[in-house]
């Protein structure tokens, strides 16, 4: 039984959908069919009378009035108020002429009131609906065709039949407004999802660009320093030159590995047979970074204060990249052979300071050669995880970069 009911319901929904689509494509044909149906209702209603009461003598006038009221409904889409006024006047005249007030006779004015409530605002609906109801009810009260009925019935009948289309029209209008609001929210949500997707793509591109900048800038700066040192010592110290060139090979190999790991994220898939990518670098690889800098002629000292505590993966990567970029700037711009890295674990933050002993007048990395991508990248990295970054020349000479990054909160 349940399956049969569901099958009939599916058929009814499909049929209603086809009818709705046809009505949207051919609205005038639907309006004409409705008007013809209303004319049939009015013709039948005009022939009804109370028992023992003769029908009105004004058959031609009544037919003309009902015909005009039905034809006025053809313009209800563009002029719903006019349709209500015309049908109301025709209906009141017909009731005054002696026609019995029945739902069939009131069919045109009921249809006009329904479309008025559906197509206009509530204030207009109340004004026209109240005036129409009062006029038709008053005509029914004083009509000779309803003398057999009590005053209460002559009042309640027209009032009920005219309030019914007004309520139905209001419900239809509210439902349409609700559906439009739901559709608008859905469209807004779709646009929001698209904008969020574009924003995520932009953020991912910026993240990859920062990674590429840090990797390429650091290793190329070291490779350039190593190549320059080797060219300077190739004739006087061949053994040291050989060692520097060996370190240069390691520097370029490390650069290629990091570039492969970074760009590999763009090709990462769910294939279990794919080569695993190297983990993101962190402070655990700080000794390797120091060794690579020393091979380029830069002496780096690392000091740690406080009890080392773990960082989140994002903060660990940020700390490593900031130290890497700061040491790269020392290699390229400071003209110093000594750099100091200081790690201070204090409270819930890790404070990292990278300083050098270069000339006091050395330009800061943010303005060197008119570029500031390295400093900009460090500042963006620190701010992205809730940290902060300060940099500037030291009073005693050289340059200093200081950043404070949040640690993992204790459980």
């Amino acid at each position: 039984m349940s399956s049969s009911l569901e099958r009939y319901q599916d058929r009814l929904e499909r049929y209603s959908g086809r009818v709705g689509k046809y009505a949207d494509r051919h609205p005038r044909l639907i309006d004409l069919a409705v008007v013809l149906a209303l004319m049939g209702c009015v013709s039948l209603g005009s022939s009804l009378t109370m028992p023992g009461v003769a029908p009105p003598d004004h058959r031609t006038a009544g037919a003309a009035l009902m015909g005009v009221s039905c034809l006025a409904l053809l313009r209800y889409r563009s002029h719903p108020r006019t349709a209500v006024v015309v049908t109301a006047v025709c209906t009141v005249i017909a009731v005054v002429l002696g026609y019995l007030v029945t739902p069939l006779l009131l069919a045109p004015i009921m249809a006009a009131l329904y479309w008025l409530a559906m197509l206009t605002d509530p204030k207009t609906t109340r004004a026209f609906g109240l005036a129409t109801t009062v006029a038709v009810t008053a005509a029914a009260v004083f009509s000779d065709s309803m003398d057999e009925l009590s005053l209460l019935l002559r009042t309640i009948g027209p009032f009920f039949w005219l309030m019914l289309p007004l309520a139905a029209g209001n419900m239809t209008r509210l439902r349409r407004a609700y559906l439009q609001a739901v559709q608008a929210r859905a469209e807004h949500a779709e646009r929001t999802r698209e904008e969020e997707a574009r924003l995520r793509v932009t953020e991912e591109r910026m993240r990859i660009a920062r990674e590429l900048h840090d990797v390429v800038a650091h290793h190329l700066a070291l490779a350039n320093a190593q190549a320059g040192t080797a060219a300077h010592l190739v004739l006087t110290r061949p053994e040291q030159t050989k060692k520097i060139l060996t370190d240069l090979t390691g520097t370029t190999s490390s650069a290629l590995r990091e570039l492969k790991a970074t760009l590999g994220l763009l090709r990462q898939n769910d294939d279990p047979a794919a080569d695993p990518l190297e983990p993101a670098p962190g402070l655990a690889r700080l000794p390797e970074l120091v060794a690579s800098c020393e091979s380029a002629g830069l002496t780096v000292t690392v000091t740690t204060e406080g009890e080392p505590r773990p960082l989140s993966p994002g903060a660990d990567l940020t700390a490593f990249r900031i130290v890497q970029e700061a040491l790269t700037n020392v290699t390229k711009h400071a003209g110093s052979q000594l750099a100091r890295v200081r790690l201070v674990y204090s409270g819930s933050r890790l404070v990292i300071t990278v300083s050098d002993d270069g000339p006091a007048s050395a330009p800061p990395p943010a303005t060197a050669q008119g570029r500031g991508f390295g400093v900009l990248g460090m500042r963006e990295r620190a701010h992205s995880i809730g940290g902060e970054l300060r940099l500037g020349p030291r009073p005693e000479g050289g340059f200093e970069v200081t950043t404070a990054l949040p640690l993992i909160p204790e459980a």
Side-chain angles (χ1 to χ4, degrees), residues 163-401:
M163 286 294 106
L164 187 62
L166 289 174
N170 277 323
M171 292 179 60
T172 302
R173 178 178 53 80
L174 293 176
R175 178 172 176 78
R176 285 189 174 184
Y178 170 75
L179 294 177
Q180 291 176 356
V182 170
Q183 183 178 2
R185 286 197 298 268
E187 293 175 354
H188 176 71
E190 184 66 25
R191 289 194 301 269
T192 303
R193 283 194 295 269
E194 293 176 357
E195 293 174 359
E196 183 178 357
R198 287 194 295 267
L199 180 60
R200 289 183 180 274
V201 169
T202 302
E203 291 177 349
E204 184 66 12
R205 288 175 178 173
M206 293 179 63
R207 186 190 66 80
I208 293 175
R210 284 197 299 265
E211 291 293 325
L212 291 177
H213 173 271
D214 292 344
V215 171
V216 173
H218 172 71
H219 289 92
L220 286 185
L222 291 182
N224 179 68
Q226 290 169 339
T229 304
H232 181 70
L233 300 176
V234 64
L235 297 179
T236 59
R237 299 181 183 178
E239 292 298 328
Q240 187 175 356
T241 300
K242 181 178 179 181
K243 181 179 181 304
I244 292 175
L245 292 178
T246 302
D247 293 339
L248 178 60
T249 302
T251 300
T252 55
S253 299
S254 177
L256 290 175
R257 284 196 305 271
E258 290 206 41
L259 284 174
K260 180 181 178 181
T262 302
L263 296 178
L265 294 174
L266 300 176
R267 298 186 178 184
Q268 190 174 10
N269 51 38
D270 297 330
D271 186 6
D275 295 335
L277 299 177
E278 292 185 359
L283 291 180
R285 293 181 55 181
L286 195 55
E288 299 179 19
L289 180 61
V290 170
S292 64
C293 291
E294 290 179 348
S295 66
L298 177 65
T299 302
V300 181
T301 61
V302 180
T303 57
T304 303
E305 299 180 12
E307 183 180 355
R309 295 171 55 192
L311 283 78
S312 65
D316 200 18
L317 174 62
T318 297
F320 178 82
R321 291 303 188 197
I322 289 177
V323 173
Q324 184 185 55
E325 180 63 29
L327 293 177
T328 301
N329 289 334
V330 173
T331 304
K332 293 193 298 183
H333 308 301
S336 174
Q337 302 300 318
L338 176 63
R340 289 178 295 274
V341 178
R342 183 184 177 203
L343 309 177
V344 179
Y345 293 87
S346 174
S348 61
R349 302 180 79 81
L350 168 63
V351 180
I352 303 175
T353 303
V354 181
S355 58
D356 63 78
D357 293 331
S361 60
T367 59
Q369 298 181 0
R371 295 182 179 272
F373 299 117
V375 173
L376 180 62
M378 288 191 292
R379 182 171 287 109
E380 288 179 349
R381 283 184 181 276
H383 290 171
S384 66
I385 61 171
E388 55 185 20
L389 182 125
R390 299 188 305 272
L391 70 164
R394 303 168 63 214
E396 62 271 24
F399 202 81
E400 184 176 82
V401 176

